[in-house]
Amino acid sequence: MWTATAPANIALIKYMGKGEGNIPRNVSLSYTLDKFYTEVSLTLTSDCDKYVGPVEPGPEATERFINHLKYIKKICGCEDFFIISSGNYRLLADGNTASFPHSAGIASSASSFAALTMCAFKAMSDLKGMPLPSLEQQSSVSRVGSGSSCRSFFSPWCLWMGEKTEKIDIRIDKLLTDLVVVDTHPKEVSSSRAHELVSSSLLMNGREKRAEIRLERLLTALNGNQWESAYQICWEEFWDMNALFETSVPNFGYMQPETMRILTEIRKFWKQNGDGPIVTMDAGPNVHLLWRTDQKNLRDLLLLPYL
Ligand code: DP6
């Protein structure tokens, strides 16, 4: 049996809009979410590739997962069959773990495809006697399964541009991360479908450039300890992505009334304290917060009502 784990990641500059092989329309930058990870294991079997859970992503997503293993087997010329098992876990403050839901905008496809890719290459390398491919190569293969998974190979910061992912050194390299959960039900529009739909938005015009400009500004802010500026840029960026959703034809969206209430509270908190978290959201109603390590007291103040 082979096992691998991979963390989720949260993008501050978002991947939205893609071409063949999940080549992104624009650059993205992510921070690794060590607290959320997927563990995949592969066991040899005799008849065909099978998925056995414990995560139950539904038939379509399961097929996509199995197909990704088949893709890696083909690259490596492997004709063996495997039983795939995959679990999503969340590391709790007391050191215990709990499971976390799939398809709810908590980046589980990133961690699960990255873990499957890593695990498959471990198995291939043992069975075929081949050296393990580099992280860059594994990341590139993982991208074909699910785009955002290619960023889970580089920690804590990963830059993704076209076919290339790389670790990027940023002065602020340790952040505290929180997820304010609004809803964990699987979303109606998957992120893969969102990538297709946004091409119908007129706001797609100039999107590449906006992401590029924000990346430059964000790197300057994070390297220059300009935290408020980083917060402002990330806020603009997730709203930019949500504006793409809302202006697609047909339009769709993930924000819920509770999401809006939380975002308004956070904006008020920033005004009152002159400080606060970086806020971002994925294709889902839940809110991600990132804090500097010296903001522990501030974090307790904001999060007390949610804990
Ligand atoms: C909204 O990686 O889930 O989370 O490539 O179709 O698998 P596929 O899409 P996926 O897209 C996630 C996009 C996002 C923003 C981001 O992570 O950058």
Side-chain angles (χ1 to χ4, degrees), residues 186-256:
K187 49 204 182 189
E188 273 173 32
V189 179
S190 71
S191 41
S192 296
R193 179 80 183 119
H195 285 288
E196 287 167 17
L197 287 171
V198 291
S199 56
S200 63
S201 165
L202 287 180
L203 296 184
M204 218 44 192
N205 245 331
R207 168 69 192 141
E208 257 166 70
K209 193 71 200 161
R210 293 197 300 279
E212 217 173 274
I213 292 171
R214 284 201 194 104
L215 172 69
E216 285 312 311
R217 284 170 51 206
L218 183 58
L219 292 177
T220 306
L222 290 172
N223 281 319
N225 282 327
Q226 298 155 15
W227 186 252
E228 186 166 1
S229 167
Y231 151 72
Q232 170 65 32
I233 296 159
C234 295
W235 186 278
E236 288 170 28
E237 173 63 8
F238 82 77
W239 274 107
D240 190 339
M241 182 174 77
N242 277 274
L244 297 177
F245 302 154
E246 298 290 346
T247 54
S248 290
V249 187
N251 66 69
F252 63 102
Y254 301 97
M255 298 269 179
Q256 294 184 10

Side-chain angles (χ1 to χ4, degrees), residues 2 17 66 110 120 192 217 286 294 297:
W2 297 268
I66 297 175
S192 296
R217 284 170 51 206
N286 306 310
D294 65 298
N297 293 342

Side-chain angles (χ1 to χ4, degrees), residues 150-189:
C150 72
R151 295 185 309 230
S152 284
F153 289 75
F154 299 95
S155 174
W157 293 104
C158 179
L159 185 66
W160 175 23
M161 221 183 291
E163 295 188 26
K164 191 170 153 51
T165 37
E166 60 186 335
K167 178 175 158 61
I168 174 169
D169 290 327
I170 294 182
R171 190 155 154 207
I172 300 182
D173 63 355
K174 177 94 190 78
L175 294 170
L176 307 171
T177 60
D178 291 303
L179 174 66
V180 185
V181 176
V182 170
D183 193 351
T184 57
H185 291 100
K187 49 204 182 189
E188 273 173 32
V189 179

